[in-house]
Amino acid sequence: MTFSIHGLAVARGIAIGRAVLVASSRVDVAHYFIKPEQVQSELERLAEARNAVCVELQSLHDNLPKDSPPELSAILEVHLMMLQDTMMVDGVKGWIKDRLYNAEWALTSQLDVVARQFDEMDDPYLRERKGDLEQVVERILRHIKGMATVLPQVNIKRNQQPRQQDLQLGDMDVPLVLVAHDLSPADMLQFKQSVFTGFVTDVGGKTSHTAIVARSLDIPAVVGARTASQLIRQDDWIIIDGDAGVVIVNPSPIILAEYGFKQRQAQVERERLSRLRHTPSVTLDGQRIELLANIEMPEDAPAALDVSAVGVGLFRSEFLFMGREGALPDEEEQYDAYKRAVDGMKGLPVTIRSVDIGADKPLDRTAKDETHLNPALGLRAIRWSLADPAMFLTQLRAILRAAAHGQVHLLIPMLAHAREIKQTLALLDKARQQLDARGVVFGPVKVGAMIEVPAAALSVKMFLRYFDFLSVGTNDLIQYTLAIDRADESVAHLYDPLHPAVLRLVADVIAECRAQGKSVSVCGEMAGDPTLTRLLLGLGLRSFSMHPTQILAVKQEILRADTTKLQAWAEQVLASEDPALLMGA
Ligand code: PEP
Ligand code: MG
């Protein structure tokens, strides 16, 4: 049966493929494809873990104290039976052999299949056995996790991707689309080098970090699709319409043909845009507009150069810190990463933002911040750095050392208070002194602040006394101005870049910087939205930073724009109660 699910459009285009469901589990589960020759060892890895759990449960059962309740013994027997259950065992083997899923992924996939059958049972006692099965699977997962370090993980990377014929997947010779309840930004980054042609998640807002990374992959994605991971089943054919934010499940042949056509049209449009790669970014009235790239990893630098970005306007350094179970990168590792980004940009400036951990970017991918009531307003970004000066100094030293190899700018996120600014600059001095004392070479850096808290936007004059440049982080500026959690799909309809208050703050920051002759850019998602390019130009913006995948579409708008005419129009938009109404004018 065909049905559709509505969510938020975050990354444009159409993807058609078979659903690969990433089941959620209380245990952190790795998802990767194995090579065909690893099937046997993966089955053995699974069997070993299952046997270990069997021994564990049997011993628990045999050594139960005499006075323990009889139910306990019965529960352990049920768990032991579940370990032998052929539907579970054969199913898991199937995912490994036929789909080349790693053991953990195979287990959670089969758990998902069997759990649905439990859910459909009439007998409430049997229905409740689902919980037992989950516990058994969790035990096996924990055992596998203990062994995981022995076995190398093999992610399918674009550059080492087995050819489809090598995979001998038969049925899998089709595009795959990932469906998950939630993906952390770190998971998403891992999928950056994967085979998936589209993503759907139940949760998330348009500018959640998961959505931002999805956008950087340049593949269609829909987030905030609420029940998608429950309604879609493994292997369902699905269409992701990343423009409309719609997921169509089990489409009829007519719908498939229509979307196949749209997909080809999008490809034609992409090829047309790619012709603008080397066209100078200049408006009709001769204004040169700086187009910079936002990157998450040093490896993103070639993509930036490919679209002729004139530098990196935002390197989100926190991605080096995430998904490592709390083990922070040391100075050498960071220095190496920053140097690779600098080398990768071949002499162009690289703006490295100090770590922005917190809110929807937890250090550990499984660690949803449940200890703080409102993590977006908590110990995040510069607050986190200042709370751990040793960690911050390590990062600052690594950045200063990378600056010896090329033009590096340092950008500080989420500042609001003068004392935070002073502490930050004092620590930067200290980092220089420490390097001096060690006799280590380092280079000069320009220092900039992100304007992403309304308090900062309203204190722009004070900021300009301390900083060489400013960069407006509209994602957070909108979140904090409108009190809308950017990662919460239930309030996504209220997240509005065109709210007059947001526009006023952005306009005033740009105007003040221009008046003082200081550089200012926008590095939030507004900068990469071609429907907003004319407005930002009209407000006086001359430097935009966005994912490389968005640069050509924005450049196209720049080439068609005449800033002499846009200024007056932008004034009207600013003065309007409902600026969205004037956007087409
Ligand atoms: C922003 O807030 O606009 C920004 C660019 O930073 P991030 O999206 O990483 O919070
Ligand atoms: Mg931000």
Side-chain angles (χ1 to χ4, degrees), residues 355-585:
V355 64
D356 181 6
I357 284 295
D360 69 334
K361 281 183 288 194
L363 262 190
D364 191 346
R365 77 181 69 183
T366 52
K368 276 243 179 291
D369 189 346
E370 276 153 9
T371 47
H372 300 104
L373 281 178
N374 203 336
L377 300 180
L379 197 65
R380 183 190 160 185
I382 190 62
R383 302 171 181 183
W384 194 74
S385 296
L386 292 175
D388 186 350
M391 181 283 301
F392 192 31
L393 281 166
T394 304
Q395 176 166 44
L396 293 173
R397 287 193 303 270
I399 294 173
L400 288 168
R401 286 173 59 193
H405 302 276
Q407 288 184 71
V408 171
H409 306 329
L410 169 66
L411 182 60
I412 311 294
M414 216 188 162
L415 287 163
H417 302 266
R419 65 172 180 279
E420 289 171 323
I421 299 176
K422 289 179 192 157
Q423 280 171 26
T424 301
L425 297 179
L427 284 170
L428 184 60
D429 272 345
K430 187 164 177 183
R432 288 193 185 100
Q433 286 160 20
Q434 289 176 334
L435 290 173
D436 257 340
R438 273 168 37 193
V440 177
V441 181
F442 61 92
V445 291
K446 284 197 172 144
V447 187
M450 289 197 69
I451 301 295
E452 47 185 358
V453 178
L458 294 168
S459 323
V460 64
K461 285 197 169 85
M462 186 260 288
F463 272 73
L464 288 175
R465 284 202 288 277
Y466 291 96
F467 291 103
D468 301 315
F469 68 97
L470 299 182
S471 187
V472 187
T474 48
N475 305 335
D476 278 315
L477 190 59
I478 297 166
Q479 152 161 282
Y480 296 127
T481 306
L482 302 180
I484 297 299
D485 183 342
R486 62 194 264 194
D488 182 350
E489 68 282 358
S490 64
V491 285
H493 58 293
L494 297 172
Y495 186 94
D496 181 10
L498 291 174
H499 189 289
V502 172
L503 293 182
R504 172 52 59 202
L505 291 176
V506 174
D508 288 354
V509 172
I510 296 172
E512 189 60 38
C513 287
R514 283 180 64 123
Q516 297 200 25
K518 291 259 177 124
S519 11
V520 57
S521 82
V522 170
C523 64
E525 295 299 294
M526 278 180 85
D529 181 345
T531 64
L532 301 178
T533 308
R534 290 167 69 243
L535 178 61
L536 291 172
L537 287 170
L539 297 179
L541 189 72
R542 297 295 178 261
S543 173
F544 295 63
S545 192
M546 67 203 82
H547 278 300
T549 53
Q550 298 161 318
I551 283 187
L552 297 179
V554 169
K555 192 194 273 187
Q556 175 170 261
E557 291 302 316
I558 289 169
L559 298 176
R560 294 171 178 165
D562 181 342
T563 62
T564 57
K565 296 190 181 134
L566 289 176
Q567 200 181 341
W569 168 72
E571 288 295 334
Q572 283 173 20
V573 176
L574 262 185
S576 164
E577 237 175 58
D578 193 352
L581 290 177
L582 295 178
M583 286 305 287

Side-chain angles (χ1 to χ4, degrees), residues 184-190 192 208-218 296 316 319 547:
S184 72
D187 280 333
M188 206 44 139
L189 202 67
Q190 189 185 333
K192 203 162 186 162
S208 63
H209 285 93
T210 300
I212 287 176
V213 182
R215 207 168 293 130
S216 78
L217 307 183
D218 201 19
E296 274 89 36
R316 289 184 162 98
F319 281 87
H547 278 300

